[in-house]
Amino acid sequence: TVVTEHSRPRYFAWRSISGVSNEGSYTLTPTASGTLVTLRMKYRLANPLVVRAIGFVATACGQKIKTAA
């Protein structure tokens, strides 16, 4: 993994150089009630079943986080 950008502590970005092809970033934004965390990820997998399973879990986790806020 290689760090592609950073502005400590508010922004961090990376990309893979081996293994599963992926890249992503996170941004921390102060709000009146705490901190908003924005996470973005891209990945490329060869197995469509694994892609569907990860998509299902990621969607479920995203919904859980939204309803907890």
Side-chain angles (χ1 to χ4, degrees):
T1 302
V2 171
V3 175
T4 56
E5 287 183 68
H6 65 87
S7 178
R8 199 170 181 187
R10 293 182 183 220
Y11 183 75
F12 184 85
W14 71 91
R15 70 176 168 78
S16 65
I17 55 174
S18 63
V20 173
S21 177
N22 71 85
E23 61 186 75
S25 66
Y26 75 75
T27 305
L28 305 175
T29 307
T31 66
S33 60
T35 303
L36 173 65
V37 179
T38 304
L39 174 66
R40 292 189 170 97
M41 289 186 66
K42 283 186 192 180
Y43 58 90
R44 289 174 273 304
L45 300 171
N47 186 325
L49 293 176
V50 173
V51 171
R52 287 187 66 190
I54 289 173
F56 177 77
V57 170
T59 300
C61 287
Q63 290 303 317
K64 185 179 262 188
I65 291 168
K66 284 180 185 176
T67 55

